[in-house]
Amino acid sequence: SLAVLAALVSTAVSADDFQLRWVRASRGFIPKGSLVAGRDAEGRSYYACRAKLANGAELPGKIRAPQIGCAVLYRNIEWSIAGYQVLHDDGARVARWVAASHVPGNAWQVGREADGAAVYMCRAKDTDGSTLVGQIVDGSCSYGVHGKGRKAAAFEVLVKP
């Protein structure tokens, strides 16, 4: 009947109905079901995380065992923050990675700068073959390696499906 059809339409779910699910963690804990966002040169998983800095910025980064914090890049220095959130992997219905050269309109905002500007997560291949997580800054993916910042012009962005 028409009433049943109307009920089905009103309960239809769109991509905008989903949200990223962040799980609080600290001191190296990586919750079960966390999103694998990259790999180091030996193939070990890096998980997507974000951490809040003292200036109020909330920035994306990476964590893997045995690190004790979320490694985020700020002012070209990689910082390890002991209290952080790890992104839960809810599958392609919530998020996926796409190649980009800028911030696409359907990119997930994963944090903010101290001034409130939106921050978007990216991942890029490094020279050693690893895939590392960072944030988009001035049209490139900025990420940390051994405490220092690097930039990649070719990268992927975490987007809504």
Side-chain angles (χ1 to χ4, degrees):
S1 84
L2 193 52
V4 171
L5 182 58
L8 288 173
V9 170
S10 68
T11 60
V13 177
S14 75
D16 292 334
D17 294 329
F18 292 108
Q19 295 296 318
L20 294 178
R21 197 159 38 125
W22 295 92
V23 180
R24 291 189 190 281
S26 64
R27 309 230 14 102
F29 178 68
I30 300 168
K32 185 177 180 176
S34 296
L35 178 70
V36 175
R39 301 215 180 267
D40 68 11
E42 287 79 44
R44 293 175 294 208
S45 297
Y46 275 119
Y47 297 90
C49 58
R50 69 180 180 186
K52 192 170 279 194
L53 306 183
N55 68 359
E58 188 170 42
L59 303 177
K62 64 186 186 295
I63 187 168
R64 71 167 173 80
Q67 293 176 334
I68 61 164
C70 178
V72 300
L73 189 66
Y74 179 71
R75 295 197 174 171
N76 222 28
I77 298 173
E78 192 174 39
W79 300 86
S80 180
I81 311 296
Y84 50 89
Q85 295 177 318
V86 181
L87 184 55
H88 190 270
D89 186 355
D90 286 317
R93 69 189 176 116
V94 176
R96 61 189 175 93
W97 295 96
V98 296
S101 58
H102 62 286
V103 178
N106 63 336
W108 277 109
Q109 180 180 336
V110 298
R112 64 192 163 283
E113 296 287 354
D115 64 5
V119 172
Y120 301 93
M121 185 179 291
C122 59
R123 68 181 182 184
K125 285 240 187 254
D126 194 45
T127 54
D128 67 358
S130 59
T131 300
L132 302 173
V133 178
Q135 71 183 62
I136 300 173
V137 178
D138 298 328
S140 64
C141 183
S142 295
Y143 58 93
V145 176
H146 304 299
K148 299 198 183 318
R150 291 197 185 160
K151 291 183 179 190
F155 58 88
E156 293 179 319
V157 180
L158 189 66
V159 299
K160 300 173 187 176

